[in-house]
Amino acid sequence: MQELEGKHILLGVTGSISAFKAIGLASKLTQAGALVDVVATANGLRLAPAAAFEAVTHRKCYIDTFADTDDLSANHVSIGARADLALIAPCSANMLAKIAHGIADDKLSTTMLAVQCPVWVAPAMNCHMYGSASVQENLSILRRRGVGIVEPDSGNLACGYAGKGRMPEPDRLIDLCTNILARRNLLAGKRVIVTAGPTREYIDAVRYISNPSSGKMGYACARAAQLCGASVELVSGPTELPTPAGVERIDVVSAADMAQAVFERFDRADIVIMSAAVADYTPKSRCAHKMHKTGKEAQIDLVPTVDILAELGNRRRKDQFLCGFCMETENLVERAKEKRSKKKVDLIVANDLSRAGAGFGCNTNIVTLITEGDVLSLDMASKDDVARRIVDTIAQMMG
């Protein structure tokens, strides 16, 4: 596993009965050539001793925030700064809450505030705890920030219940670490533009035409491209989402604003991912003041907006890659194929809005990837997982 050779892995261990599995995980990571810094909570070490981690990693197990004050390499900032990947496995409900809300009251939670690398957590707890509203809300917060979530396995739990809450086996987590580190240079040196969210086409000073796009899919694509080493510019319509780490965000409102922002940056881009839900029409004229109700019928004349994707298809160089999105409620593949050909793009990501778990506002998506010679339908997955598949496909197509 050459991807792990010489890489610094921050392995967080918390107070779950699955902590004993982390010893095997730390051992296998070390055998693969990784330099493993285990940072454990006090409760984690009640279930898996520090001596065991130090024996298999040949490195110190970090526990106390204020210990080793004379060794700068052992403080939380240094440990976080040198990590190529941070993985908390197992991650308790308590630690999920801490990192979701920025609480730093022990060595691990403090270190997690200092990391600059990809962060993944493997929740492990009782099935009822995992399904609770507070835990699920904390997981949602972390997903929005770009933290990867390793879904727990289902089965018999130590507490006597059966359900979802088991920490995955070490081999699965080793594969995860290998895959993440292998992808870090997938788009190194590439400049990527991603569009996301809705546009707003104002009728008057307070009313506008728009759509329910949350921007989640586009933001996930921006995160995925940035984690693959690309320089990413995110042209975003109005959303409530935080800017992904390491991504430059350009806020726009209307379709015309988005077109201008994309066209200004297009010549220096290697890849454009047009995931925004751009309005097809805009009011012919906009009233400068609020229009008041008169009790009579009103008519709004609409004119087409700029077709950004089609314009990019006409302007593109041969070495530029274009990815468009297509949302339909019927004849998905046929219409997506037609759009890909007509707008001269390399890849169309199509999703059927009539299917549960796909489309606007969801944390999941169900998409079909359509190229000139292939149609690949993906199962329902988180938007971050879908984004990774899209970015992997783009990298593969670009060679």
Side-chain angles (χ1 to χ4, degrees):
M1 299 180 187
Q2 61 182 11
E3 294 85 358
L4 296 175
E5 186 70 36
K7 294 294 190 292
H8 284 271
I9 308 293
L10 193 169
L11 177 60
V13 180
T14 68
S16 161
I17 191 61
S18 298
F20 76 93
K21 290 185 179 180
I23 300 172
L25 175 59
S27 177
K28 290 188 174 186
L29 286 169
T30 302
Q31 292 170 33
L35 303 171
V36 183
D37 285 328
V38 176
V39 184
T41 64
N43 285 336
L45 294 182
R46 295 181 71 174
L47 297 161
F53 289 112
E54 292 178 346
V56 299
T57 65
H58 316 297
R59 296 169 68 83
K60 182 175 178 59
C61 177
Y62 299 101
I63 309 162
D64 187 345
T65 305
F66 299 103
D68 305 310
T69 53
D70 58 337
D71 182 2
L72 293 179
S73 68
N75 69 36
H76 60 285
V77 175
S78 297
I79 297 170
R82 66 175 174 256
D84 295 296
L85 172 65
L87 170 65
I88 304 180
C91 188
S92 65
N94 185 46
M95 186 55 62
L96 280 176
K98 287 183 181 182
I99 60 176
H101 298 283
I103 296 171
D105 62 357
D106 58 22
K107 184 80 167 187
L108 179 55
S109 57
T110 304
T111 302
M112 292 309 297
L113 288 179
V115 299
Q116 298 297 307
C117 61
V119 175
W120 284 74
V121 297
M125 63 196 74
N126 168 266
C127 53
H128 301 309
M129 292 174 65
Y130 182 73
S132 70
S134 58
V135 167
Q136 291 302 310
E137 176 61 24
N138 288 333
L139 288 171
S140 294
I141 291 171
L142 294 176
R143 286 191 184 97
R144 290 197 296 270
R145 292 182 189 159
V147 174
I149 311 297
V150 185
E151 290 292 325
D153 290 340
S154 296
N156 293 322
L157 305 176
C159 57
Y161 285 90
K164 193 171 186 178
R166 292 166 58 98
M167 174 177 152
E169 295 303 313
D171 284 345
R172 179 180 161 196
L173 297 176
I174 292 283
D175 289 343
L176 171 73
C177 294
T178 303
N179 181 264
I180 294 167
L181 292 171
R183 300 176 74 251
R184 288 197 70 180
N185 295 315
L186 203 58
L187 296 179
K190 299 297 183 184
R191 299 181 68 97
V192 179
I193 297 172
V194 180
T195 66
T199 62
R200 293 177 179 175
E201 311 303 317
Y202 274 85
I203 300 168
D204 63 12
V206 298
R207 302 178 181 90
Y208 55 81
I209 300 170
S210 190
N211 60 66
S213 174
S214 64
K216 291 177 181 179
M217 191 69 248
Y219 278 60
C221 287
R223 276 194 298 273
Q226 193 277 333
L227 289 172
C228 288
S231 174
V232 181
E233 295 177 302
L234 174 62
V235 180
S236 176
T239 77
E240 299 297 324
L241 302 175
T243 306
V247 171
E248 180 185 351
R249 175 170 162 177
I250 301 95
D251 289 314
V252 298
V253 177
S254 67
D257 296 338
M258 184 167 286
Q260 180 180 350
V262 173
F263 294 157
E264 286 176 353
R265 293 162 174 79
F266 181 57
D267 286 345
R268 62 177 183 263
D270 299 295
I271 301 166
V272 178
I273 303 174
M274 283 288 301
S275 64
V278 185
D280 292 325
Y281 292 91
T282 189
K284 187 174 183 179
S285 61
R286 172 181 172 177
C287 182
H289 305 287
K290 178 183 176 181
M291 298 167 58
H292 293 91
K293 181 185 284 188
T294 64
K296 299 178 181 178
E297 291 185 359
Q299 179 174 314
I300 301 172
D301 293 326
L302 302 176
V303 295
T305 58
V306 176
D307 190 327
I308 303 174
L309 188 58
E311 184 63 26
L312 296 180
N314 290 328
R315 292 189 188 188
R316 65 178 295 183
R317 303 186 309 269
K318 288 185 178 180
D319 63 337
Q320 290 177 303
F321 191 99
L322 291 184
C323 173
F325 277 64
C326 178
M327 290 185 171
E328 299 290 345
T329 55
E330 57 184 358
N331 301 323
L332 178 70
V333 173
E334 293 79 4
R335 291 184 175 177
K337 284 183 174 180
E338 180 182 351
K339 181 175 182 178
R340 193 204 67 81
S341 177
K342 182 178 179 181
K343 301 197 177 183
K344 304 174 185 175
V345 301
D346 302 286
L347 171 66
I348 284 287
V349 181
N351 64 324
D352 188 342
L353 293 181
S354 67
R355 298 184 66 183
F360 293 133
C362 299
N363 290 321
T364 58
N365 213 349
I366 308 169
V367 305
T368 300
L369 306 183
I370 299 174
T371 63
E372 184 176 7
D374 196 18
V375 175
L376 177 62
S377 296
L378 305 182
D379 294 332
M380 185 170 68
S382 72
K383 288 186 174 177
D384 280 311
D385 285 340
V386 172
R388 283 188 281 272
R389 292 293 298 273
I390 292 169
V391 168
D392 286 350
T393 299
I394 291 172
Q396 187 176 39
M397 290 178 69
M398 294 183 73

